[in-house]
Amino acid sequence: MSKLKIAFLIDNHHVDSHAYDLIKAVKKDKAHFHTPKLISLSSNQARNSNYGKIFTFIRNALSYFILRFEIKRLIKNLIYEEHGQVKGVDSLNLEVINIKPIISKSGLVYNLQDNDIKSIKGNDIDLLIRCGEGILKGDILNCTKYGVLSFHHGDNRVYRGVPAGFWEVFNGEPTSGFIIQKLTEALDGGEVLFRGNIMTASYWQLNYANLCKKGNFFMLKILKDLSNDGKLPLSESYIPYGNKLFRFPKIFILVQYICIQLLRLIKNKILSFLDYRTTWSVSYLNHKSLNKPLYQADTIQNPKKRFLADPFLFKHEGKNICFVEDFFYDEGRGKISAYELSNEGHTEVGVILEEDFHLSFPYVFKFEENIYMCPETNEKNEIRLYKCNKFPDSWSFYKTIIKNVSAADTLIFPYKEKWCLLTNICSSEIGDHNSELHLFFSNNPISDNWTACKSNPVIFDSQKARNGGLFTYRNDIFRVNQIHDKAHYGRAFGINRILNLDENGYLEENIHKISPNFFNNLNGTHHFSYNDSFLVFDHWKNKRS
């Protein structure tokens, strides 16, 4: 390991809260980094605008209204309490190198003079991180050992331009992306070292804040890995960009956005007043193969003031048991219940596991003649196992296999010579379990000794990452993934054949997508389970309580 000398490129002595957090995190980590430096590319030059003064005033007033309203709403959540703040870097007590760049007439492009480049080289800096707005050109891109790293808070395959996080919300995109890139002379054409896609949030500033928080975590991870290994991640292959360059929205777009947001808030208020709720249900189908249509399935009636979701099948001693999340509205948390399925229909076994915290996703597996359940226990910030004392209705806590982790929807299964664990972890603090799929290995599934895959997260895309089931068919293992829309959890699910997984990575191929068209008036579906006798799945609609 070699401690890195890092400098942050800033526009002046004030930065936004996300850049401030990143600088502070690097300063704090003395194991991987020397005390960082700041390079202030200060300038008083105003940027030119081709927009008329009156139109500029109106547009600025509208954007100011949107920002104030959304930030005020956002910071009620303590996770985002500093979002929108501008912080002075002087409080960090770091060395600041002040440089006057040569700025283009547009006010966008920054070049540095030769003596300033020599000054940066003289500080023996390993890496520069861009935290300002200027487009960097010239020798600054190559004057340090590892170049200049920068964020682009957008999926650069689809969205290039400004403002970050806005257009995905406005256009109703299901995902919003970010990349970490090594800058080159090409505008928006840097070497992509890392990318991630999260579920698009319901409004602009929440979407932007989530992208920043996710981006900061993985920038810090890249820097630590660079310190440990002495190399940056391999960059992606270049692909042509076929979309337009997005610019700050004009007046009619901002007005339209305000109207869309107001209508959404009014709709939600009305639905809440009328006591409409997201209501999940579970259906099952007796079959001899997978070719029966889902519309022929029977639905288990939800108990009063409860809903059922996340069904998992497990067959033992001739009994086909469907384990489900059983959510109690009055208690605001889920328990695990069971139903026995047969040719004659279904029989309720009842609640078989409950805690004083939320339980869901009751994945069950067998090891050495014992049966274990690994339900979601995210509220405990750990991955737990429960052991079956008497099948199917007696279970007790066995052990915690991974501690201090924000994880959901865990699958544990044998693959070749190892046991594998696939789980959805939120690496940042925002509680997003839809975007990252992480892989772990162990020789023993009930051990607390699990090794993380080197390429975690093996999937970083809210359209693919979240687990929705696992089953075996004709000796192949299939992972079910949840598919989400913009601010819309559980729209559909996909079925994927696992092709390979090992300590270096994970590979699957998509086989099929199931949309909620099998029954009338459904809003979504997100879970599927299968064995040699039955298949089960869930679905939801907005229903009045």
Side-chain angles (χ1 to χ4, degrees), residues 397-409:
F397 173 66
Y398 180 68
K399 72 188 301 184
T400 297
I401 57 174
I402 301 181
K403 296 181 179 180
N404 302 316
V405 61
S406 178
D409 297 359

Side-chain angles (χ1 to χ4, degrees), residues 410-426:
T410 300
L411 304 169
I412 301 173
F413 58 97
Y415 186 83
K416 295 182 179 178
E417 303 299 321
K418 296 279 188 180
W419 280 83
C420 304
L421 184 153
L422 286 170
T423 192
N424 298 114
I425 291 176
C426 180

Side-chain angles (χ1 to χ4, degrees), residues 22-30 35-36 91-94:
L22 181 60
I23 297 168
K24 188 167 66 172
V26 169
K27 179 187 177 184
K28 183 179 179 180
D29 188 344
K30 299 187 182 302
T35 300
S91 62
L92 294 170
N93 297 315
L94 298 175

Side-chain angles (χ1 to χ4, degrees), residues 10 34 66 98 239 257 272 325 332 344 375 391 488:
I10 58 179
H34 291 283
I66 293 169
N98 292 296
I239 56 173
Y257 174 80
S272 177
E325 172 195 348
E344 287 71 39
F391 191 83
H488 186 133

